[in-house]
Amino acid sequence: MPIPSRAALVEHLVRTRIAGDVATPRDNNLAHYRKLANGDRHYWLGLELGDRWADEQDVLAVMAERCGVNDDPAHRMGQDTIDPELTVDALDRMAARLRKAAAGRERVLFATGHPGALLDVHSRTAAALRAAGCDVVRIPGGLVADEGYVVQFADVAVFERGATLWHTHSPEPMNAILDGLRAVDQPLPDLVVADHGWAGRAAQRGIDAVGYADCNDPALFIGEAEGTLQVAVPLDDHVLDPRSYEPLTAYLLNTAGLL
C-alpha cells in the first residue's frame, strides 16, 4: 500500500465518504446527541458523564469542534458532515501515542465493536506494534458478556454470539477482558486501541485509550474533550468496502514510524 500524503488522504476520505459528506443523516446524529444528554447510558459508550452534558446543544458544540458536523442547531434533517482535516489531525495525535507505545515497548490491547469495517485497521496496527517490540495482549479464554463471548481474531478482541461477530456499543466486553486479565494475574494494558464502548470503558477505568468514532457517537469525543480518552478519530466507521480504510491505516502507521 503506497503511503498517501496528507492531501491525498484527505481526498481519499472525501471520495470514499469516510469523511466529508458521510452517510449518517443529520436527524440520526441529533437523536443520539439528545439521548446522551438525556442520560441514556447506551450512548455513553462506557464513560461516566454524570450530569455534565445534560444540554444537547453543548454536545452539538463539541461535535462541531472535534468532528466537523454542522454547528447550526436549526439544521435538523438531511446531510451531515465529518471534517476530513479533523480526521487527519486526530490520526496524527493517535500516531504520536502509538510512537510512544513502540518506544516504550508497551503492552497494547486492540478491540473493535465494528468487526465488519475496522477489524483489519486494528489488526494491521497490532502487527506493526508487535514488530516494533510491543506486547500485544492475548485475552484470556472463556470470557462472556451480554449473552455472548469475547474472543480474539488477528490480535483484535471482538464480540461473538451465535457463530457471528457482532456490531456492539456495549462496554461489557471490555469489562470482561480487564476483569479476566486480573483474574489470571496478567497485567492490564498500558494502551487500548479500540472504538465504541471498548475504548470508552477502558478510558473510564484509567487506561490510556485511543479510538475511532462516528459522528453519531458523541461520547468518545466528549471523553477526549474532558481528558478521559486520549484521542477520538472522527470517521464513518462502516463504509461498504473495508479496503477503503487501507490508505488511512498506511498513513497512521507511517506517521507513527511503524512502517
Side-chain angles (χ1 to χ4, degrees), residues 16-258:
T16 57
R17 300 185 72 187
I18 293 173
D21 291 336
V22 293
T24 310
R26 176 68 167 192
D27 57 314
N28 180 264
N29 283 346
L30 295 180
H32 285 205
Y33 306 168
R34 184 178 314 111
K35 289 173 182 178
L36 180 148
N38 288 340
D40 188 333
R41 297 177 74 86
H42 175 77
Y43 296 92
W44 289 12
L45 300 182
L47 293 165
E48 295 297 332
L49 303 180
D51 59 1
R52 299 185 299 278
W53 297 91
D55 186 339
E56 66 182 275
Q57 298 308 317
D58 292 339
V59 180
L60 174 60
V62 168
M63 293 303 292
E65 177 188 14
R66 294 181 176 267
C67 187
V69 302
N70 190 314
D71 64 357
D72 181 2
H75 177 49
R76 310 296 299 178
M77 302 293 293
Q79 187 69 52
D80 213 338
T81 56
I82 293 174
D83 185 339
E85 297 288 349
L86 293 178
T87 303
V88 182
D89 287 346
L91 288 171
D92 290 342
R93 297 195 301 276
M94 181 182 282
R97 186 60 186 86
L98 297 181
R99 184 185 291 271
K100 178 183 176 183
R105 297 194 171 186
E106 292 181 347
R107 182 168 164 81
V108 187
L109 171 65
F110 291 84
T112 185
H114 253 297
L118 299 180
L119 182 63
D120 193 50
V121 175
H122 289 301
S123 179
R124 291 184 183 213
T125 307
L129 282 179
R130 174 180 282 113
C134 287
D135 177 16
V136 175
V137 174
R138 183 176 175 88
I139 70 171
L143 299 179
V144 296
D146 296 332
E147 301 182 348
Y149 298 94
V150 185
V151 296
Q152 200 165 27
F153 290 97
D155 291 323
V156 185
V158 292
F159 179 69
E160 185 268 334
R161 189 165 65 195
T164 300
L165 302 186
W166 281 61
H167 169 218
T168 177
H169 289 73
S170 173
E172 293 308 319
M174 180 55 70
N175 279 332
I177 293 173
L178 299 180
D179 293 342
L181 289 171
R182 281 186 166 154
V184 296
D185 293 323
Q186 288 191 35
L188 295 180
D190 301 302
L191 174 66
V192 168
V193 183
D195 47 68
H196 284 180
W198 307 79
R201 180 48 53 89
Q204 187 62 48
R205 290 183 59 161
I207 299 170
D208 281 6
V210 298
Y212 302 96
D214 209 329
C215 55
N216 63 354
D217 292 328
L220 295 190
F221 298 102
I222 287 173
E224 184 182 19
E226 291 194 327
T228 309
L229 188 83
Q230 295 208 336
V231 181
V233 178
L235 47 66
D236 186 319
D237 55 15
H238 199 121
V239 297
L240 289 178
D241 187 351
R243 291 173 296 187
S244 296
Y245 297 97
E246 290 177 355
L248 177 152
T249 308
Y251 177 91
L252 172 69
L253 297 182
N254 183 65
T255 305
L258 297 173

